PDB file of all heavy atoms in Angstrom:
ATOM      1  N   ALA A  54     -21.705  -7.671  -8.840  1.00 67.00           N
ATOM      2  CA  ALA A  54     -22.293  -8.237  -7.618  1.00 67.00           C
ATOM      3  C   ALA A  54     -23.702  -8.744  -7.906  1.00 67.00           C
ATOM      4  O   ALA A  54     -24.314  -8.411  -8.913  1.00 67.00           O
ATOM      5  CB  ALA A  54     -22.338  -7.178  -6.537  1.00 67.00           C
ATOM      6  N   SER A  55     -24.230  -9.577  -6.961  1.00 74.00           N
ATOM      7  CA  SER A  55     -25.577 -10.096  -7.168  1.00 74.00           C
ATOM      8  C   SER A  55     -26.632  -9.183  -6.546  1.00 74.00           C
ATOM      9  O   SER A  55     -27.765  -9.580  -6.361  1.00 74.00           O
ATOM     10  CB  SER A  55     -25.666 -11.507  -6.598  1.00 74.00           C
ATOM     11  OG  SER A  55     -25.238 -11.494  -5.262  1.00 74.00           O
ATOM     12  N   ARG A  56     -26.224  -7.944  -6.189  1.00 74.00           N
ATOM     13  CA  ARG A  56     -27.173  -6.961  -5.644  1.00 74.00           C
ATOM     14  C   ARG A  56     -27.090  -5.686  -6.466  1.00 74.00           C
ATOM     15  O   ARG A  56     -26.056  -5.392  -7.056  1.00 74.00           O
ATOM     16  CB  ARG A  56     -26.842  -6.652  -4.186  1.00 74.00           C
ATOM     17  CG  ARG A  56     -27.038  -7.868  -3.329  1.00 74.00           C
ATOM     18  CD  ARG A  56     -26.844  -7.622  -1.855  1.00 74.00           C
ATOM     19  NE  ARG A  56     -27.273  -8.816  -1.145  1.00 74.00           N
ATOM     20  CZ  ARG A  56     -28.513  -9.035  -0.721  1.00 74.00           C
ATOM     21  NH1 ARG A  56     -29.450  -8.132  -0.880  1.00 74.00           N
ATOM     22  NH2 ARG A  56     -28.832 -10.161  -0.122  1.00 74.00           N
ATOM     23  N   ASP A  57     -28.188  -4.911  -6.492  1.00 72.00           N
ATOM     24  CA  ASP A  57     -28.140  -3.648  -7.218  1.00 72.00           C
ATOM     25  C   ASP A  57     -27.469  -2.599  -6.329  1.00 72.00           C
ATOM     26  O   ASP A  57     -27.154  -2.877  -5.155  1.00 72.00           O
ATOM     27  CB  ASP A  57     -29.546  -3.241  -7.702  1.00 72.00           C
ATOM     28  CG  ASP A  57     -30.462  -2.811  -6.566  1.00 72.00           C
ATOM     29  OD1 ASP A  57     -29.968  -2.597  -5.438  1.00 72.00           O
ATOM     30  OD2 ASP A  57     -31.665  -2.692  -6.802  1.00 72.00           O
ATOM     31  N   PRO A  58     -27.201  -1.376  -6.854  1.00 72.00           N
ATOM     32  CA  PRO A  58     -26.447  -0.389  -6.062  1.00 72.00           C
ATOM     33  C   PRO A  58     -27.103  -0.054  -4.728  1.00 72.00           C
ATOM     34  O   PRO A  58     -26.431   0.322  -3.768  1.00 72.00           O
ATOM     35  CB  PRO A  58     -26.399   0.835  -6.986  1.00 72.00           C
ATOM     36  CG  PRO A  58     -26.548   0.265  -8.360  1.00 72.00           C
ATOM     37  CD  PRO A  58     -27.445  -0.919  -8.224  1.00 72.00           C
ATOM     38  N   SER A  59     -28.430  -0.211  -4.597  1.00 77.00           N
ATOM     39  CA  SER A  59     -29.057   0.073  -3.300  1.00 77.00           C
ATOM     40  C   SER A  59     -29.154  -1.171  -2.417  1.00 77.00           C
ATOM     41  O   SER A  59     -29.833  -1.158  -1.395  1.00 77.00           O
ATOM     42  CB  SER A  59     -30.415   0.737  -3.512  1.00 77.00           C
ATOM     43  OG  SER A  59     -31.080   0.161  -4.582  1.00 77.00           O
ATOM     44  N   GLY A  60     -28.490  -2.257  -2.829  1.00 78.00           N
ATOM     45  CA  GLY A  60     -28.394  -3.415  -1.937  1.00 78.00           C
ATOM     46  C   GLY A  60     -29.492  -4.450  -2.108  1.00 78.00           C
ATOM     47  O   GLY A  60     -29.533  -5.442  -1.389  1.00 78.00           O
ATOM     48  N   HIS A  61     -30.411  -4.244  -3.075  1.00 82.00           N
ATOM     49  CA  HIS A  61     -31.475  -5.233  -3.277  1.00 82.00           C
ATOM     50  C   HIS A  61     -30.943  -6.425  -4.063  1.00 82.00           C
ATOM     51  O   HIS A  61     -30.190  -6.241  -5.022  1.00 82.00           O
ATOM     52  CB  HIS A  61     -32.649  -4.605  -4.050  1.00 82.00           C
ATOM     53  CG  HIS A  61     -33.305  -3.503  -3.291  1.00 82.00           C
ATOM     54  ND1 HIS A  61     -33.302  -2.197  -3.743  1.00 82.00           N
ATOM     55  CD2 HIS A  61     -33.946  -3.501  -2.102  1.00 82.00           C
ATOM     56  CE1 HIS A  61     -33.919  -1.440  -2.854  1.00 82.00           C
ATOM     57  NE2 HIS A  61     -34.317  -2.209  -1.851  1.00 82.00           N
ATOM     58  N   ALA A  62     -31.371  -7.633  -3.636  1.00 86.00           N
ATOM     59  CA  ALA A  62     -30.947  -8.835  -4.368  1.00 86.00           C
ATOM     60  C   ALA A  62     -31.537  -8.804  -5.767  1.00 86.00           C
ATOM     61  O   ALA A  62     -32.703  -8.452  -5.946  1.00 86.00           O
ATOM     62  CB  ALA A  62     -31.425 -10.073  -3.619  1.00 86.00           C
ATOM     63  N   LEU A  63     -30.710  -9.145  -6.753  1.00 90.00           N
ATOM     64  CA  LEU A  63     -31.199  -9.165  -8.137  1.00 90.00           C
ATOM     65  C   LEU A  63     -31.944 -10.471  -8.404  1.00 90.00           C
ATOM     66  O   LEU A  63     -31.602 -11.513  -7.850  1.00 90.00           O
ATOM     67  CB  LEU A  63     -30.027  -9.032  -9.100  1.00 90.00           C
ATOM     68  CG  LEU A  63     -29.274  -7.698  -9.027  1.00 90.00           C
ATOM     69  CD1 LEU A  63     -28.036  -7.744  -9.925  1.00 90.00           C
ATOM     70  CD2 LEU A  63     -30.185  -6.542  -9.434  1.00 90.00           C
ATOM     71  N   HIS A  64     -32.959 -10.401  -9.276  1.00 91.00           N
ATOM     72  CA  HIS A  64     -33.697 -11.611  -9.651  1.00 91.00           C
ATOM     73  C   HIS A  64     -32.786 -12.548 -10.441  1.00 91.00           C
ATOM     74  O   HIS A  64     -31.864 -12.109 -11.123  1.00 91.00           O
ATOM     75  CB  HIS A  64     -34.907 -11.242 -10.523  1.00 91.00           C
ATOM     76  CG  HIS A  64     -35.987 -10.568  -9.757  1.00 91.00           C
ATOM     77  ND1 HIS A  64     -36.313  -9.251  -9.935  1.00 91.00           N
ATOM     78  CD2 HIS A  64     -36.815 -11.028  -8.794  1.00 91.00           C
ATOM     79  CE1 HIS A  64     -37.289  -8.921  -9.110  1.00 91.00           C
ATOM     80  NE2 HIS A  64     -37.611  -9.984  -8.405  1.00 91.00           N
ATOM     81  N   ARG A  65     -33.137 -13.851 -10.382  1.00 90.00           N
ATOM     82  CA  ARG A  65     -32.355 -14.840 -11.145  1.00 90.00           C
ATOM     83  C   ARG A  65     -32.314 -14.500 -12.627  1.00 90.00           C
ATOM     84  O   ARG A  65     -31.301 -14.653 -13.288  1.00 90.00           O
ATOM     85  CB  ARG A  65     -32.981 -16.227 -10.981  1.00 90.00           C
ATOM     86  CG  ARG A  65     -32.549 -16.920  -9.721  1.00 90.00           C
ATOM     87  CD  ARG A  65     -32.852 -18.407  -9.787  1.00 90.00           C
ATOM     88  NE  ARG A  65     -32.145 -19.076  -8.722  1.00 90.00           N
ATOM     89  CZ  ARG A  65     -32.566 -19.114  -7.465  1.00 90.00           C
ATOM     90  NH1 ARG A  65     -33.689 -18.528  -7.136  1.00 90.00           N
ATOM     91  NH2 ARG A  65     -31.872 -19.742  -6.537  1.00 90.00           N
ATOM     92  N   GLU A  66     -33.446 -14.035 -13.163  1.00 90.00           N
ATOM     93  CA  GLU A  66     -33.495 -13.718 -14.600  1.00 90.00           C
ATOM     94  C   GLU A  66     -32.519 -12.592 -14.931  1.00 90.00           C
ATOM     95  O   GLU A  66     -31.949 -12.548 -16.024  1.00 90.00           O
ATOM     96  CB  GLU A  66     -34.917 -13.293 -15.018  1.00 90.00           C
ATOM     97  CG  GLU A  66     -35.971 -14.383 -14.877  1.00 90.00           C
ATOM     98  CD  GLU A  66     -36.562 -14.452 -13.473  1.00 90.00           C
ATOM     99  OE1 GLU A  66     -35.919 -13.975 -12.508  1.00 90.00           O
ATOM    100  OE2 GLU A  66     -37.677 -15.002 -13.332  1.00 90.00           O
ATOM    101  N   THR A  67     -32.334 -11.667 -13.976  1.00 91.00           N
ATOM    102  CA  THR A  67     -31.381 -10.566 -14.195  1.00 91.00           C
ATOM    103  C   THR A  67     -29.953 -11.086 -14.098  1.00 91.00           C
ATOM    104  O   THR A  67     -29.096 -10.740 -14.923  1.00 91.00           O
ATOM    105  CB  THR A  67     -31.608  -9.458 -13.140  1.00 91.00           C
ATOM    106  OG1 THR A  67     -32.985  -9.101 -13.167  1.00 91.00           O
ATOM    107  CG2 THR A  67     -30.746  -8.243 -13.424  1.00 91.00           C
ATOM    108  N   LEU A  68     -29.705 -11.935 -13.085  1.00 91.00           N
ATOM    109  CA  LEU A  68     -28.359 -12.500 -12.927  1.00 91.00           C
ATOM    110  C   LEU A  68     -27.964 -13.321 -14.157  1.00 91.00           C
ATOM    111  O   LEU A  68     -26.803 -13.343 -14.553  1.00 91.00           O
ATOM    112  CB  LEU A  68     -28.297 -13.379 -11.675  1.00 91.00           C
ATOM    113  CG  LEU A  68     -28.475 -12.630 -10.348  1.00 91.00           C
ATOM    114  CD1 LEU A  68     -28.595 -13.624  -9.201  1.00 91.00           C
ATOM    115  CD2 LEU A  68     -27.323 -11.680 -10.095  1.00 91.00           C
ATOM    116  N   ALA A  69     -28.967 -13.983 -14.767  1.00 92.00           N
ATOM    117  CA  ALA A  69     -28.679 -14.811 -15.944  1.00 92.00           C
ATOM    118  C   ALA A  69     -28.184 -13.975 -17.114  1.00 92.00           C
ATOM    119  O   ALA A  69     -27.579 -14.494 -18.054  1.00 92.00           O
ATOM    120  CB  ALA A  69     -29.929 -15.585 -16.359  1.00 92.00           C
ATOM    121  N   VAL A  70     -28.434 -12.681 -17.064  1.00 90.00           N
ATOM    122  CA  VAL A  70     -27.986 -11.787 -18.136  1.00 90.00           C
ATOM    123  C   VAL A  70     -26.782 -10.976 -17.691  1.00 90.00           C
ATOM    124  O   VAL A  70     -25.905 -10.646 -18.488  1.00 90.00           O
ATOM    125  CB  VAL A  70     -29.137 -10.832 -18.544  1.00 90.00           C
ATOM    126  CG1 VAL A  70     -28.693  -9.879 -19.645  1.00 90.00           C
ATOM    127  CG2 VAL A  70     -30.353 -11.632 -18.994  1.00 90.00           C
ATOM    128  N   ARG A  71     -26.701 -10.654 -16.411  1.00 89.00           N
ATOM    129  CA  ARG A  71     -25.724  -9.670 -15.951  1.00 89.00           C
ATOM    130  C   ARG A  71     -24.497 -10.222 -15.226  1.00 89.00           C
ATOM    131  O   ARG A  71     -23.433  -9.594 -15.262  1.00 89.00           O
ATOM    132  CB  ARG A  71     -26.417  -8.664 -15.010  1.00 89.00           C
ATOM    133  CG  ARG A  71     -27.414  -7.794 -15.711  1.00 89.00           C
ATOM    134  CD  ARG A  71     -26.713  -6.745 -16.544  1.00 89.00           C
ATOM    135  NE  ARG A  71     -27.633  -6.072 -17.427  1.00 89.00           N
ATOM    136  CZ  ARG A  71     -27.340  -5.712 -18.665  1.00 89.00           C
ATOM    137  NH1 ARG A  71     -26.164  -5.981 -19.170  1.00 89.00           N
ATOM    138  NH2 ARG A  71     -28.216  -5.087 -19.410  1.00 89.00           N
ATOM    139  N   LEU A  72     -24.656 -11.332 -14.501  1.00 91.00           N
ATOM    140  CA  LEU A  72     -23.556 -11.747 -13.622  1.00 91.00           C
ATOM    141  C   LEU A  72     -22.336 -12.214 -14.430  1.00 91.00           C
ATOM    142  O   LEU A  72     -22.443 -13.054 -15.316  1.00 91.00           O
ATOM    143  CB  LEU A  72     -24.015 -12.867 -12.695  1.00 91.00           C
ATOM    144  CG  LEU A  72     -23.096 -13.152 -11.508  1.00 91.00           C
ATOM    145  CD1 LEU A  72     -23.032 -11.975 -10.559  1.00 91.00           C
ATOM    146  CD2 LEU A  72     -23.556 -14.383 -10.760  1.00 91.00           C
ATOM    147  N   SER A  73     -21.182 -11.632 -14.118  1.00 92.00           N
ATOM    148  CA  SER A  73     -19.939 -12.013 -14.814  1.00 92.00           C
ATOM    149  C   SER A  73     -18.771 -11.409 -14.048  1.00 92.00           C
ATOM    150  O   SER A  73     -18.970 -10.669 -13.092  1.00 92.00           O
ATOM    151  CB  SER A  73     -19.931 -11.473 -16.247  1.00 92.00           C
ATOM    152  OG  SER A  73     -19.814 -10.074 -16.234  1.00 92.00           O
ATOM    153  N   VAL A  74     -17.556 -11.709 -14.496  1.00 93.00           N
ATOM    154  CA  VAL A  74     -16.393 -11.034 -13.916  1.00 93.00           C
ATOM    155  C   VAL A  74     -16.449  -9.559 -14.321  1.00 93.00           C
ATOM    156  O   VAL A  74     -17.258  -9.161 -15.157  1.00 93.00           O
ATOM    157  CB  VAL A  74     -15.058 -11.671 -14.399  1.00 93.00           C
ATOM    158  CG1 VAL A  74     -14.953 -13.117 -13.954  1.00 93.00           C
ATOM    159  CG2 VAL A  74     -14.908 -11.560 -15.911  1.00 93.00           C
ATOM    160  N   GLU A  75     -15.579  -8.724 -13.717  1.00 92.00           N
ATOM    161  CA  GLU A  75     -15.520  -7.289 -14.030  1.00 92.00           C
ATOM    162  C   GLU A  75     -15.350  -7.080 -15.535  1.00 92.00           C
ATOM    163  O   GLU A  75     -14.641  -7.835 -16.200  1.00 92.00           O
ATOM    164  CB  GLU A  75     -14.299  -6.671 -13.342  1.00 92.00           C
ATOM    165  CG  GLU A  75     -14.356  -6.673 -11.834  1.00 92.00           C
ATOM    166  CD  GLU A  75     -15.288  -5.599 -11.309  1.00 92.00           C
ATOM    167  OE1 GLU A  75     -15.268  -4.482 -11.874  1.00 92.00           O
ATOM    168  OE2 GLU A  75     -16.038  -5.902 -10.366  1.00 92.00           O
ATOM    169  N   ARG A  76     -15.991  -6.008 -16.040  1.00 93.00           N
ATOM    170  CA  ARG A  76     -15.750  -5.642 -17.445  1.00 93.00           C
ATOM    171  C   ARG A  76     -14.275  -5.266 -17.630  1.00 93.00           C
ATOM    172  O   ARG A  76     -13.609  -4.842 -16.685  1.00 93.00           O
ATOM    173  CB  ARG A  76     -16.570  -4.415 -17.809  1.00 93.00           C
ATOM    174  CG  ARG A  76     -18.032  -4.682 -17.909  1.00 93.00           C
ATOM    175  CD  ARG A  76     -18.750  -3.492 -18.534  1.00 93.00           C
ATOM    176  NE  ARG A  76     -20.109  -3.875 -18.833  1.00 93.00           N
ATOM    177  CZ  ARG A  76     -21.130  -3.675 -18.008  1.00 93.00           C
ATOM    178  NH1 ARG A  76     -20.942  -3.075 -16.858  1.00 93.00           N
ATOM    179  NH2 ARG A  76     -22.333  -4.067 -18.327  1.00 93.00           N
TER     180      ARG A  76
END
Side-chain angles (χ1 to χ4, degrees):
S55 54
R56 295 185 171 271
D57 71 12
S59 39
H61 296 116
L63 295 174
H64 288 111
R65 277 197 166 80
E66 296 86 338
T67 307
L68 294 172
V70 179
R71 292 286 169 219
L72 195 65
S73 69
V74 298
E75 294 284 319
R76 289 191 170 93

